[in-house]
Amino acid sequence: MEFLQEQTHPKHCLNRVPGKLNCKSNQPFRRYHINDTDHQRQVTPTIFSRAHLLIEKEYENFQKDKPWGIEAHPLRQENIFEWMAKIKGLQDTVWEGGTFTLYIKFDENFNVRPPEVCFHTIPFHPNVDMLSGRPCIDFLDDFSQWKDSNSLTKILTTVQDLLANPDLNKPINPEAAEMIMRSPHAYRQMVLDCVVASQRVEGSYKGIDPAKYILEAIKDNPALQKAHLGLPQEEIEEQMKRQLEEHETLMYGRFQAKPSEEEEKAMKLARLNKMKKIYLPPRISPTSLHTTETMPPPPSGKAKEEPWEKEVDDLVAWTDKLDASTIEA
């Protein structure tokens, strides 16, 4: 079988150098498979877009010069627009030892516009959206900052470097950013937990074809299929909520929710009652120690009250009048 390729150059191409993709148009490219038989010569055309060939070229370049700790390949051989990548945490950083899976989706506008990139193994990081897994990178979020010279290698190495070097000026996970600033040790422990969890997830992939794993995992789940196809996030957010909660529990443990206003009032009242029992024990009247037979008659005049007794009585009266509505949240 012979293989021929014909590139149709539009009129506005500046150069027509064979083997170079220097045309800005989406003009299709044609490839022909030629089958020779004894009686006839059949030509079957296969047409590929400019974006398709550019992605093929990106794959060739990536295979020739792979960066450390990064793998990337198409999910399926027949669809070059959907990729899966794995990124390892940089050495001598807190992320060392972790392996994080990403999903990459190109479209026919590549390389005029960047591909969509999101984490499948979502790390706890100030610049990674906990809901969608999308990393916050300028040239991926803002098309005006994207350059057609940006390669797949640059995208993945930028994501890899972002893990160890968070940008606290542009956080999209405020909880992670606040933890870094207020409790660096707690954040470090959280990252170490993420690394261990990613190793467990990565270990579960062994024996499974990674190119088919994502597609097999979502084939019976309409919500995940919608996410895979890139539909608006609002349509799938409610259906994905339970799965995201399970994922966060696995990756980071379960956080204690902030108590409501009513719960805080109830806790304050409980603490106040406990303090009353500790500091204000019930007073026993001296007369209760005597029986009725031995009880002397009451004095004719009113007994003088000690000053400390009056203070205690005032404090008890004040606490008895307290109500939950009067306690500040």
Side-chain angles (χ1 to χ4, degrees):
M1 178 184 294
E2 299 178 64
F3 179 78
L4 299 178
Q5 176 174 324
E6 173 189 348
Q7 178 176 334
T8 57
H9 294 274
K11 294 180 181 180
H12 62 270
C13 283
L14 300 179
N15 300 313
R16 298 188 179 184
V17 181
K20 291 189 177 180
L21 300 176
N22 48 24
C23 175
K24 297 289 185 180
S25 171
N26 279 331
Q27 185 75 15
F29 295 78
R30 297 187 180 90
R31 290 179 178 175
Y32 298 90
H33 292 277
I34 303 177
N35 300 319
D36 291 319
T37 62
D38 295 338
H39 304 286
Q40 61 183 354
R41 186 177 178 87
Q42 298 178 349
V43 179
T44 305
T46 303
I47 302 177
F48 293 101
S49 66
R50 172 181 175 274
H52 185 286
L53 295 181
L54 285 171
I55 297 170
E56 279 189 346
K57 190 66 175 177
E58 286 287 339
Y59 188 41
E60 292 177 5
N61 294 336
F62 182 82
Q63 291 294 102
K64 291 177 182 177
D65 187 16
K66 287 185 179 180
W68 180 90
I70 297 178
E71 300 176 10
H73 55 78
L75 278 171
R76 293 176 293 176
Q77 186 175 4
E78 62 272 17
N79 183 6
I80 202 170
F81 288 91
E82 296 182 11
W83 288 48
M84 185 173 72
K86 291 183 180 181
I87 290 180
K88 293 183 178 180
L90 292 175
Q91 296 176 337
D92 300 325
T93 70
V94 70
W95 294 93
E96 182 178 3
T99 301
F100 303 90
T101 305
L102 294 94
Y103 171 70
I104 306 171
K105 185 175 182 181
F106 298 89
D107 59 23
E108 292 292 346
N109 294 315
F110 184 79
N111 60 356
V112 178
R113 293 175 59 177
E116 296 180 10
V117 180
C118 64
F119 279 94
H120 233 271
T121 311
I122 303 177
F124 185 74
H125 192 278
N127 305 118
V128 178
D129 192 317
M130 287 297 300
L131 185 63
S132 65
R134 190 180 182 93
C136 180
I137 299 176
D138 291 341
F139 60 79
L140 293 181
D141 297 334
D142 186 358
F143 296 160
S144 64
Q145 299 189 38
W146 170 261
K147 298 179 181 179
D148 55 10
S149 60
N150 291 338
S151 64
L152 177 64
T153 299
K154 179 177 179 179
I155 294 174
L156 295 178
T157 53
T158 301
V159 174
Q160 186 184 46
D161 184 68
L162 181 68
L163 286 177
N165 301 281
D167 184 0
L168 298 182
N169 295 322
K170 300 178 181 178
I172 54 176
N173 183 350
E175 291 182 1
E178 184 176 0
M179 186 177 291
I180 288 180
M181 293 184 290
R182 294 192 176 184
S183 182
H185 296 291
Y187 177 75
R188 178 182 176 84
Q189 184 58 49
M190 187 72 74
V191 171
L192 293 177
D193 292 342
C194 289
V195 170
V196 173
S198 73
Q199 292 171 349
R200 291 199 301 265
V201 174
E202 179 65 17
S204 67
Y205 286 154
K206 293 182 179 179
I208 302 175
D209 183 0
K212 298 180 180 179
Y213 178 78
I214 295 178
L215 297 176
E216 289 293 329
I218 68 173
K219 67 178 182 179
D220 297 324
N221 192 318
L224 290 180
Q225 289 178 0
K226 288 182 179 181
H228 181 69
L229 296 174
L231 293 182
Q233 179 177 318
E234 292 76 15
E235 298 183 14
I236 62 172
E237 183 173 350
E238 188 63 30
Q239 299 181 36
M240 294 291 291
K241 183 177 180 180
R242 290 190 300 272
Q243 298 178 21
L244 288 170
E245 290 176 352
E246 294 175 359
H247 169 78
E248 291 177 1
T249 301
L250 171 65
M251 294 291 291
Y252 320 115
R254 190 175 297 278
F255 292 99
Q256 184 176 3
K258 183 179 180 180
S260 63
E261 183 177 350
E262 294 298 327
E263 291 174 340
E264 287 186 352
K265 290 180 178 180
M267 288 189 293
K268 288 182 179 181
L269 281 175
R271 288 197 300 268
L272 186 58
N273 290 330
K274 186 176 181 180
M275 292 174 62
K276 287 170 59 178
K277 292 179 180 179
I278 295 174
Y279 298 105
L280 301 174
R283 289 178 296 166
I284 302 176
S285 174
T287 59
S288 63
L289 300 176
H290 304 280
T291 60
T292 56
E293 291 79 10
T294 61
M295 182 181 299
S300 58
K302 186 177 180 181
K304 183 179 180 181
E305 189 177 31
E306 295 292 336
W308 66 268
E309 291 181 336
K310 185 176 187 308
E311 293 180 2
V312 170
D313 291 337
D314 292 342
L315 181 59
V316 172
W318 176 75
T319 56
D320 289 339
K321 294 179 182 179
L322 285 178
D323 185 48
S325 61
T326 63
I327 300 178
E328 295 182 358

